[in-house]
């Protein structure tokens, strides 16, 4: 019998997710063909009632004869970090790991949630992508995330729960208005809805317009970035500057998101265009946000998304599987291939190394070669130098920061020990 795809309901035990699970279990929402219904509960271990909620979810699943899966997370919060964001990230990391190809995860986000998200994004000064809010469907890991209740209001779900005598748990943190979403839910949304009863529909319409605009902006960015993106994933400042400012910003946002980097704030983004791009050609300025940096070098913008580690001084690498390539290298060095050891050392720049390129009459410093290759300064300590003991044999080539094929090497005659 062929394995069935799985539809996973993200089941917290609250009213919304209980309605969603009940709708699928009773056929009020159609289950896709050849798909089994399953529930997954994430225990965040943040409430003293977390164990009770987990047991409640298990009992509901047993009553509905739905297979029940539990995952637990431990959240460590640093000063200044959002507990909501940390819990969400931990939750979706587990969801992503759970799904395999053909699986779907459904969440109980509804129209009220979408309206709150829109207002939260607006208070943060979000662009069209942020104001597009939560999509009805998107990829998640190897599967798909869907939100089938976005057209339902909270009031409609409450009516459904009462009609079907559903029971649910109440998360006490939902009443804490220190959380921005809860503040909107309890103090702002009731006032707005009282004044404008069709608020949810209006926000759905606006977020839909923003989603369409975001699609168009991304399509334009894909066209524009073709002339800007280099083989090493840096951006050509000359080609970027040929675009008008709005398209420059569009390309930059696309460049960052395509590398899964969080976008900088509006003021930080503006500094990139007012300080970084117009800087002098020989300047090497940088702008940072979070763990990310954009640096300028040789008329290009480079993204560094993590802190640079300290380069190790040396390590050994067994090259047995590449013996043929090594023989070609040492042959050019005038070293007998039979003397080649099975293990070579890969060393990093220590300073003071000198060498003579094969075919050249004069030696030069490694520092000058790195400058000639236009290797960005922050990458120079990470250039692997292939050595036989203290004898420098070869190094991968860099031309404007771009390496050639794996079989290509720059070959040295040894001048002095590293």
């Amino acid at each position: 019998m062929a394995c069935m795809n799985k539809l996973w309901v993200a089941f917290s035990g609250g009213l919304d997710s209980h309605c969603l699970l009940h709708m699928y279990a009773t056929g009020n929402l159609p289950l896709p063909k050849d798909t089994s219904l399953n529930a997954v509960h994430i225990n965040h271990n943040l409430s003293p009632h977390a164990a009770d909620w987990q047991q409640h979810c298990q009992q509901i699943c047993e009553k509905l004869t739905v297979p029940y899966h539990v995952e637990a997370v431990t959240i460590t919060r640093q000063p200044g970090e959002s507990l909501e964001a940390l819990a969400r990230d931990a939750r979706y990391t587990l969801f992503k790991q759970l799904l395999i190809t053909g699986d779907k995860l459904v969440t109980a986000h509804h129209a009220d949630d979408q309206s709150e998200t829109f207002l939260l994004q607006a208070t943060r000064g979000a662009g069209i992508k942020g104001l597009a809010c939560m999509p009805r469907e998107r990829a998640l890991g190897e599967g798909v995330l869907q939100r089938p209740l976005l057209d339902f209001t909270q009031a409609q779900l409450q009516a459904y729960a009462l009609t079907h005598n559903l029971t649910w748990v109440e998360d006490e943190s939902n009443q804490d208005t220190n959380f921005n979403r809860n503040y909107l839910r309890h103090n702002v949304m009731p006032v707005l809805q009282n004044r404008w009863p069709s608020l949810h529909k209006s926000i759905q319409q606006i977020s839909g317009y923003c989603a369409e605009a975001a699609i168009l902006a991304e399509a334009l960015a894909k066209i524009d970035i073709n002339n800007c993106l280099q083989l090493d994933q840096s951006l050509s400042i000359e080609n970027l500057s040929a675009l008008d400012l709005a398209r420059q910003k569009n390309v930059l946002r696309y460049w960052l998101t395509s590398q899964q980097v969080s976008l900088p704030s509006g003021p930080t983004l503006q500094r990139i265009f007012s300080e970084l791009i117009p800087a002098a050609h020989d300047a090497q300025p940088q702008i940072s946000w979070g763990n990310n940096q954009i640096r300028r070098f040789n008329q290009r913008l480079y993204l560094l998304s993590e802190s640079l580690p300290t380069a190790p001084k040396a390590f050994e690498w067994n090259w047995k599987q590449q013996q043929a390539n090594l023989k070609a290298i040492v042959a050019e060095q005038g070293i007998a291939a039979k003397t080649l050891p099975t293990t070579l050392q890969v060393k990093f720049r220590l300073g003071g190394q000198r060498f003579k390129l094969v075919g050249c009459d004069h030696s030069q410093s490694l520092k000058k070669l790195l400058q000639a290759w236009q290797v960005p300064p922050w990458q120079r300590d990470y250039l692997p130098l292939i050595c036989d003991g203290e004898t420098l044999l070869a190094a991968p080539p860099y031309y404007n920061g771009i390496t050639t094929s794996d079989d290509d090497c720059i070959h040295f005659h040894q001048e002095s020990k590293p």
Side-chain angles (χ1 to χ4, degrees):
M1 182 177 177
C3 294
M4 300 181 70
N5 295 327
K6 292 182 178 180
L7 185 142
W8 294 93
V9 175
F11 187 34
S12 68
L15 182 148
D16 305 335
S17 63
H18 192 170
C19 287
L20 180 61
L21 182 64
H22 187 272
M23 288 177 181
Y24 277 112
T26 58
N28 288 310
L29 277 177
L31 195 64
K33 185 179 179 182
D34 298 326
T35 300
S36 65
L37 179 62
N38 300 264
V40 54
H41 175 77
I42 307 298
N43 186 339
H44 297 88
N45 291 300
L46 293 175
S47 169
H49 307 295
D52 294 334
W53 298 344
Q54 180 175 318
Q55 184 178 11
H56 168 82
C57 290
Q58 181 176 352
Q59 293 171 349
I60 296 299
C61 288
E62 289 174 352
K63 182 179 179 181
L64 295 172
T65 64
V66 174
Y68 176 61
H69 181 79
V70 179
E71 293 281 357
V73 296
T74 300
I75 297 174
T76 303
R77 183 184 184 186
Q78 300 298 328
E81 291 184 325
S82 165
L83 185 61
E84 289 176 292
L86 291 172
R88 181 179 62 251
D89 290 345
R91 186 163 62 249
Y92 277 91
T93 296
L94 289 175
F95 289 154
K96 187 181 298 185
Q97 295 170 353
L98 182 67
L99 300 180
I100 63 173
T101 302
D103 285 357
K104 294 179 180 179
L105 174 80
V106 291
T107 63
H109 293 112
H110 47 71
D112 294 61
D113 294 323
Q114 191 78 309
S115 296
E116 293 163 7
T117 300
F118 181 88
L119 293 177
L120 282 172
Q121 294 285 21
T123 63
R124 296 165 183 161
I128 55 173
K129 194 167 185 178
L131 294 176
C133 301
M134 297 180 287
R136 294 179 183 273
E137 181 176 306
R138 68 173 177 87
L140 181 64
E142 297 181 8
V144 174
L145 167 66
Q146 293 181 335
R147 299 181 174 95
L149 299 184
L150 285 180
D151 290 326
F152 290 79
T153 65
Q154 175 75 45
Q156 289 173 317
L157 293 180
Q158 288 178 335
Y160 180 92
L162 293 175
T163 298
H164 293 87
N165 297 314
L166 305 186
T167 59
W168 58 90
V169 299
E170 294 284 356
D171 186 341
E172 67 277 5
S173 68
N174 288 336
Q175 303 303 317
D176 186 354
T177 54
N178 288 316
F179 294 117
N180 290 335
R181 183 175 291 274
N182 289 343
Y183 181 85
L184 282 174
R185 180 175 301 163
H186 297 295
N187 297 340
V188 178
M189 291 301 297
V191 177
L192 293 178
Q193 284 183 276
N194 184 60
R195 176 72 175 183
W196 295 285
S198 60
L199 178 68
H200 292 319
K201 290 184 179 180
S202 298
I203 288 179
Q204 288 276 27
Q205 190 175 37
I206 296 170
S207 63
Y209 294 153
C210 290
E212 292 175 357
I215 292 172
L216 294 175
E218 182 173 322
L220 180 60
K222 289 179 179 178
I223 295 172
D224 287 342
I225 202 170
N226 285 334
N227 295 323
C228 303
L229 191 65
Q230 307 300 299
L231 292 179
D232 62 353
Q233 300 304 304
S234 65
L235 289 182
S236 164
I237 292 177
E238 180 182 2
N239 293 344
L240 184 66
S241 299
L243 302 170
D244 62 52
L245 183 58
R247 290 171 71 172
Q248 288 182 41
K249 291 181 178 180
N250 191 41
V251 167
L252 193 72
R253 292 189 190 98
Y254 179 78
W255 181 55
L256 295 175
T257 55
S258 66
Q259 299 186 64
Q260 299 182 337
V261 171
S262 60
L263 294 179
S265 65
T268 301
L269 185 68
Q270 184 58 42
R271 286 184 59 208
I272 295 172
F273 292 93
S274 62
E275 301 175 20
L276 210 63
I277 291 180
H281 285 195
D282 58 349
Q284 298 177 25
Q286 65 186 58
I287 288 178
S288 304
W289 72 98
N291 292 325
N292 308 304
Q293 289 182 350
I294 292 182
R295 297 191 183 189
R296 175 184 173 133
F297 173 73
N298 191 34
Q299 282 294 87
R300 294 184 184 175
L301 296 181
Y302 290 84
L303 172 66
L304 284 73
S305 58
E306 296 291 343
S307 300
L308 290 175
T310 302
K313 299 306 179 184
F315 63 92
E316 292 188 358
W317 183 12
N318 192 330
W319 282 59
K320 287 182 180 180
Q321 299 301 320
Q322 300 187 23
Q323 192 78 359
N325 289 345
L326 292 176
K327 287 181 179 179
I329 292 173
V330 299
E332 292 196 29
Q333 301 292 345
I335 304 171
K338 65 180 181 180
T339 65
L340 186 67
T342 58
T343 301
L344 293 181
Q345 291 73 47
V346 178
K347 297 188 177 182
F348 293 89
R349 182 172 170 238
L350 299 175
Q353 293 104 322
R354 294 189 63 83
F355 61 89
K356 183 169 65 176
L357 286 172
V358 172
C360 296
D361 296 330
H362 304 288
S363 66
Q364 57 185 303
S365 69
L366 179 59
K367 178 180 179 179
K368 287 188 176 180
L369 180 65
L370 295 178
Q371 292 173 342
W373 284 348
Q374 297 181 345
V375 179
W378 59 89
Q379 294 180 4
R380 294 174 186 174
D381 288 342
Y382 302 88
L383 179 69
L385 306 175
I386 304 170
C387 304
D388 177 10
E390 299 298 329
T391 302
L392 185 59
L393 296 180
Y398 278 73
Y399 303 102
N400 289 325
I402 303 169
T403 59
T404 62
S405 67
D406 292 339
D407 293 335
D408 220 350
C409 281
I410 294 296
H411 306 143
F412 303 145
H413 287 312
Q414 180 66 21
E415 284 291 314
S416 62
K417 293 183 179 180

